[in-house]
Each structure stands twice: as structure tokens, then as C-alpha cells.
Amino acid sequence: MLAALESVFEIIAEPNRRAILSLLVSSQRSVGEIECQLRMSQPTVSKHLRVLREAGFVESTVDAQRRLYRLKPEPLREVEAWLAPFRRLWSAHVDALERYLDRMDTSPPKKRKKKKR
Amino acid sequence: MLAALESVFEIIAEPNRRAILSLLVSSQRSVGEIECQLRMSQPTVSKHLRVLREAGFVESTVDAQRRLYRLKPEPLREVEAWLAPFRRLWSAHVDALERYLDRMDTSPPKKRKKKKR
DNA sequence: GCGGAATATGCCTGTCAAGGTATATACTAC
DNA sequence: GTAGTATATACCTTGACAGGCATATTCCGC
């Protein structure tokens, strides 16, 4: 579980890790809080947190025996950056190429912002 | 390779699949073109395309013996949607203040020993 | 019909991640 | 010191996916 896992996309491919990240949006949490809210075993939470920490998704501070984890933005911005070129697919403005491709579309109509077919 | 793979995040966790998607941004392509440009074997390309098609990332039209694949927007919008709540992490003016408030959000730490491990 | 080109699929195998259990570590309170 | 709490790590097993190779399918031209 704590192996290579180089790419940020592989990190967020795991549903429990996404759940942890989403939980941390509202505020930082201790391992026990995450364990309780997401109904995962404590070692599982710790292992996922380790993966997330080593990938830069979260950081922790020590508070007595507890460790408080909170989000770090950088890796998710990588995802955002990769996603950027695809936004033209659903942006309101439809350029020439997309209109061309839409004309070739043989599948049943779907909700599109702009014209097609 | 052609198993469940339910979530869109698991689909885009595979580097070759991300490469295929990125390649299709500029225009639709045949399997042979993808195979050539990305230097993958033909069965590998076809299998990845099948995964992408079944997940709704791409669709294909038949052109003689060829099949032309092009992007479909919906699944990537799911990624975009999941990412949305995290944008507050890097929207400039809230950053420092909200992260400070996050720490106050839970029960106040007692004597804090600094930093991560 | 036949042969060839383009793509899809089946089978097999190596690899690796995810989780469980048990244990280790770190810290607090007494 | 001891006991208790919170978290991390080691070891192991299971399962799934990615890719290679061989083969099947589909379509074209002749």
C-alpha cells in the first residue's frame, strides 16, 4: 500500500483517499476522527494518510498523542492543470472544430450547451 | 484490463489512458494513429479505448475498417465537479485566513508541539 | 469467393496496491 | 515507573489490472 504510487492521479483513484480529502475540506481532523467518520480501520486510515502525506496532499501537526491532518493545495492543482485543456469540451463557446465534430456525431442527442447535429 | 473499473478516477489513473485522452483533445483519431503516436501496441490501444468507451470518455464512428475515436465531455466533468470544493484552497485571498480558521475549527489543541514528523 | 488491412478479443502472467491482524512507537496522566 | 490512549508500521494474503501474444472479427478491393 505504501509503495511507489508516483502520479497524483493514482493517489486520488482510491475512493477512501478521496473521501479523506473531501472530509478535510471543511477542517483539519485527527486520525481518530477520520476513522470514525469514514468507518475505516485505524491502520487503513494511517496508511492512506501516509500516501497522501508523501504525495503532498496533506500535512500534519502533532497535538499530544494526536496528529492533525489538513489539506495542501499543490497536488490537486496538478489535476486541475491537466484538466484545463479539456474544458473546451464543455465551455459555452463552441469553436469550429467542435462544431465539425458535432456534425459527425451519430449517437443520440445529449444535453449540450450549444447547437449540434 | 476490461473489468469493473467503476470510477472515473480509476480510469484516468492509467498514464496511457490519460495520454490517449490528451491526444484526442486536438482532434479525433483512428486506433492506428494513436498506436503510432503513443508507441503502444495495437491490442493495448484497443483495450484502453474499450475502457474509455465503456466509461463514456470517448465514442467512435466507423470509417471503413477504421474506427475514429473522439472525446465525450461528461466523465471529465465529474472530475471537475469533484475538484470544485477544493478550489478554495488556492483561490488567493482566502488562503491564509481560512487555513488559520480551519485549525480553530476543532477542539483547541493544548500544548502544541510543532510540525510534522 | 479470396487476401489483406484495421481493429477487437481471449488467455496468460507478473506486478502491485489495499486491507486485516498484530505489533511497535509516541505521548499523557498518575 | 505503570497503564492507557493515539497513531504508525510490518507482515501477509487476496485480488485486480496492464500488457504480451495469438487469434477472431470486420471491412475493403479485386
Side-chain angles (χ1 to χ4, degrees):
Chain A
M1 186 185 215
L2 4 106
L5 267 190
E6 67 291 346
S7 129
V8 295
F9 295 92
E10 294 173 43
I11 307 280
I12 63 173
E14 221 293 321
N16 289 321
R17 283 197 287 267
R18 289 200 306 281
I20 291 176
L21 292 175
S22 294
L23 188 60
L24 293 180
V25 168
S26 52
S27 84
Q28 65 180 356
R29 313 264 177 170
S30 70
V31 177
E33 290 169 337
I34 298 171
E35 172 190 352
C36 189
Q37 294 232 4
L38 301 183
R39 302 179 137 205
M40 306 164 52
S41 78
Q42 179 267 315
T44 295
V45 174
S46 281
K47 289 175 202 173
H48 283 309
L49 283 171
R50 175 175 181 173
V51 172
L52 290 170
R53 176 165 25 88
E54 290 179 346
F57 283 83
V58 300
E59 62 184 0
S60 66
T61 43
V62 175
D63 168 42
Q65 308 104 315
R66 305 194 310 162
R67 291 197 169 86
L68 299 178
Y69 282 85
R70 86 192 66 83
L71 292 176
K72 289 181 65 181
E74 291 79 10
L76 286 175
R77 300 198 72 167
E78 271 188 57
V79 179
E80 181 93 339
W82 179 81
L83 214 52
F86 298 94
R87 292 230 179 75
R88 55 176 292 283
L89 293 178
W90 58 80
S91 64
H93 168 263
V94 181
D95 63 14
L97 177 58
E98 188 166 348
R99 280 197 295 274
Y100 168 71
L101 293 177
D102 279 351
R103 247 183 283 119
M104 306 187 54
D105 194 345
T106 56
S107 65
K110 314 190 165 50
K111 47 170 186 180
R112 284 271 174 86
K113 297 214 153 190
K114 290 232 166 179
K115 90 311 299 299
K116 59 172 301 186
R117 286 190 299 277
Chain B
M1 184 186 217
L2 6 102
L5 266 191
E6 67 291 346
S7 128
V8 296
F9 295 92
E10 294 172 42
I11 307 280
I12 64 173
E14 221 291 322
N16 288 322
R17 283 196 286 266
R18 288 201 304 281
I20 292 176
L21 291 175
S22 294
L23 188 60
L24 292 181
V25 169
S26 52
S27 83
Q28 61 181 358
R29 314 260 177 170
S30 70
V31 177
E33 289 169 339
I34 297 171
E35 171 189 353
C36 190
Q37 293 232 3
L38 301 183
R39 306 191 152 205
M40 306 164 52
S41 79
Q42 179 268 314
T44 295
V45 174
S46 280
K47 288 174 197 173
H48 282 309
L49 283 171
R50 175 175 180 173
V51 173
L52 290 171
R53 177 165 23 91
E54 289 179 345
F57 283 84
V58 301
E59 61 184 0
S60 65
T61 43
V62 175
D63 168 42
Q65 306 105 316
R66 300 182 160 192
R67 293 201 167 88
L68 298 177
Y69 282 86
R70 85 192 71 86
L71 293 175
K72 288 181 66 180
E74 290 79 9
L76 286 174
R77 300 198 73 167
E78 272 188 56
V79 179
E80 180 93 339
W82 180 81
L83 214 52
F86 299 95
R87 293 231 178 75
R88 56 185 284 282
L89 292 179
W90 57 80
S91 54
H93 77 284
V94 275
D95 191 17
L97 175 60
E98 291 207 351
R99 289 227 265 166
Y100 168 73
L101 291 177
D102 277 353
R103 295 208 194 95
M104 313 299 293
D105 206 323
T106 48
S107 54
K110 318 181 174 182
K111 25 210 161 187
R112 174 182 301 155
K113 305 275 183 72
K114 267 302 196 149
K115 239 12 211 178
K116 24 179 184 175
R117 15 186 356 252

